[in-house]
Amino acid sequence: MRKFLLTTTALAFCAGGAAPAFAEFNDRTIRVSNGINADHPVGNGIEAMQKCLDEKSGGKLKLQAFWGGALGGDLQATQALRSGVQEAVVTSSSPLVGIEPALGVFDLPFLFSNAQEAYTVLDGKFGDMMSEKLAAVGLVNLGYWENGFRNLSNSVRPVTKWEDFEGMKVRVMQNNIFLDTFQNLGANATPMAFGEVFSALETKTIDAQENPYVTIDTSKFFEVQKYVTETNHAYTPFLFLFSKAIFDTYAPEEQAALRECASVGRDVERSVIADLNKKSLEKIKAAGLEVNTLSEEEQKRIREKSMVVYEKHKEEIGADVVDSILAELAAIRK
């Protein structure tokens, strides 16, 4: 009889113990807004994140991606998160500086030398500090995905040192830090809508533009340019942001699953971007463009030259933020 009772109790415990695996998960459809298209590497990240969520939640947490700004632009979607009327957005950092000025730190020129530096900083203490600032304005940052490094293409000459920018007409985004960066290097920085860039390069209205390799490739800028320089002058992360108002209503297990699976998606998305950049660079070279990389010595020179831009924008970004990231980078580079 005792053996029967023990066996029964053990079976009951096992049955009861198995049930809570998904007990704390509710059926949820999580809307994720994106400004880019589904064939961007973010799409691969979303797919990997969903697979992870399926395993952790038993299929209860479902991501519903809206591509190409279908739910509005990045800023509009982010404001919807803060209002608690939308769950999530994958957005570049630059459009959000009006909400959190500290994000302007990622627009500073020649900040990171390479992707690994960026990952070390973003996935470490500095990234956590920035996430705390975002939480204070109603946004939960689930992780830093990747938009990537911007590089220079032009039709004038190879750029091997900062003096080579002198007099070059460079299209830049309408962004004060970008304008100051290129003007400080002696270039004629020219704000222009992205859709006008190819024609302006073709007609020599401008000499140069700056974008990630994938954009230079897919926009066929290589057809109207002669030189490409791996300047890595700006690195922009994507932020996977969640509405804090909504996130706080989720069970701890749901919150943990979202954080863990966002990291899984991040790693896949970064890997796909790296592969695409390599393929795009090979296509650019195959098109006959002369490609060069700034030397470490020149990177150091150009970074020192750009410190006046850091000082000019330090107050608006936050002195603590600028000093913190520079200190962390100095430690990494020792």
Side-chain angles (χ1 to χ4, degrees):
M1 181 68 177
R2 176 178 168 79
K3 184 177 180 182
F4 173 77
L5 286 171
L6 286 172
T7 304
T8 304
T9 302
L11 287 170
F13 177 80
C14 289
F22 303 124
E24 297 302 323
F25 289 89
N26 296 289
D27 287 312
R28 300 187 188 278
T29 298
I30 297 165
R31 292 164 297 171
V32 184
S33 175
N34 300 269
I36 64 311
N37 294 324
D39 58 357
H40 186 279
V42 166
N44 301 88
I46 293 287
E47 185 179 340
M49 184 175 174
Q50 182 62 72
K51 183 178 179 181
C52 174
L53 286 172
D54 286 344
E55 293 171 358
K56 289 186 177 294
S57 72
K60 290 187 175 182
L61 298 183
K62 292 290 185 186
L63 301 176
Q64 183 179 11
F66 290 84
W67 304 99
L71 295 182
D74 288 344
L75 180 57
Q76 181 182 348
T78 303
Q79 294 290 24
L81 266 61
R82 298 178 73 202
S83 301
V85 296
Q86 183 180 314
E87 291 82 7
V89 64
V90 178
T91 173
S92 178
S93 56
S94 298
L96 308 187
V97 293
I99 296 174
E100 178 44 69
L103 291 172
V105 73
F106 298 121
D107 291 334
L108 291 172
F110 304 96
L111 184 64
F112 301 117
S113 300
N114 52 61
Q116 192 52 56
E117 269 192 6
Y119 300 160
T120 300
V121 170
L122 294 173
D123 300 339
K125 291 181 180 178
F126 182 82
D128 291 341
M129 181 185 80
M130 295 295 287
S131 293
E132 289 173 9
K133 290 181 179 293
L134 288 164
V137 293
L139 300 165
V140 175
N141 182 24
L142 296 183
Y144 297 92
W145 292 24
E146 183 161 274
N147 192 352
F149 278 108
R150 302 175 77 89
N151 295 297
L152 183 85
S153 73
N154 82 90
S155 58
V156 182
R157 56 182 168 265
V159 173
T160 60
K161 55 188 182 301
W162 71 256
E163 289 87 352
D164 292 330
F165 283 96
E166 185 67 39
M168 195 177 287
K169 292 177 288 184
V170 184
R171 179 267 176 182
V172 298
M173 295 186 293
Q174 183 62 60
N175 176 303
N176 288 336
I177 295 179
F178 274 62
L179 284 165
D180 290 341
T181 294
F182 285 95
Q183 286 170 353
N184 176 57
L185 296 173
N188 179 5
T190 307
M192 181 182 294
F194 182 78
E196 301 171 12
V197 175
F198 185 93
S199 175
L201 290 170
E202 188 174 34
T203 59
K204 300 293 193 292
T205 303
I206 55 174
D207 303 313
Q209 65 81 48
E210 46 83 40
N211 263 297
Y213 285 140
V214 173
T215 304
I216 295 173
D217 169 20
T218 57
S219 300
K220 299 189 183 302
F221 291 151
F222 57 79
E223 293 182 356
V224 287
Q225 299 276 261
K226 295 179 181 178
Y227 309 99
V228 167
T229 302
E230 187 166 294
T231 49
N232 283 354
H233 59 269
Y235 176 90
T236 310
F238 276 133
L239 308 176
F240 198 116
L241 299 178
F242 212 96
S243 167
K244 190 173 187 301
I246 297 174
F247 194 78
D248 287 348
T249 67
Y250 288 7
E253 290 81 358
E254 293 174 316
Q255 294 179 351
L258 284 165
R259 290 187 186 278
E260 291 170 26
C261 293
S263 293
V264 170
R266 174 201 67 197
D267 292 344
V268 168
E269 192 258 359
R270 285 177 178 175
S271 176
V272 174
I273 278 215
D275 289 342
L276 278 181
N277 274 325
K278 288 177 184 176
K279 290 175 182 175
S280 289
L281 181 56
E282 289 307 312
K283 285 178 68 177
I284 291 166
K285 288 178 177 177
L289 274 72
E290 184 178 323
V291 179
N292 72 289
T293 302
L294 287 179
S295 67
E296 285 187 25
E297 181 183 351
E298 187 54 34
Q299 276 195 349
K300 187 177 180 181
R301 279 188 75 230
I302 207 166
R303 191 176 292 116
E304 290 171 354
K305 170 74 173 171
S306 299
M307 280 298 116
V308 294
V309 179
Y310 284 59
E311 288 301 320
K312 180 176 180 179
H313 295 277
K314 191 173 186 177
E315 186 176 346
E316 67 196 55
I317 293 170
D320 62 322
V321 175
V322 176
D323 290 342
S324 177
I325 198 167
L326 288 178
E328 192 158 334
L329 284 166
I332 293 170
R333 291 168 183 155
K334 276 185 179 178

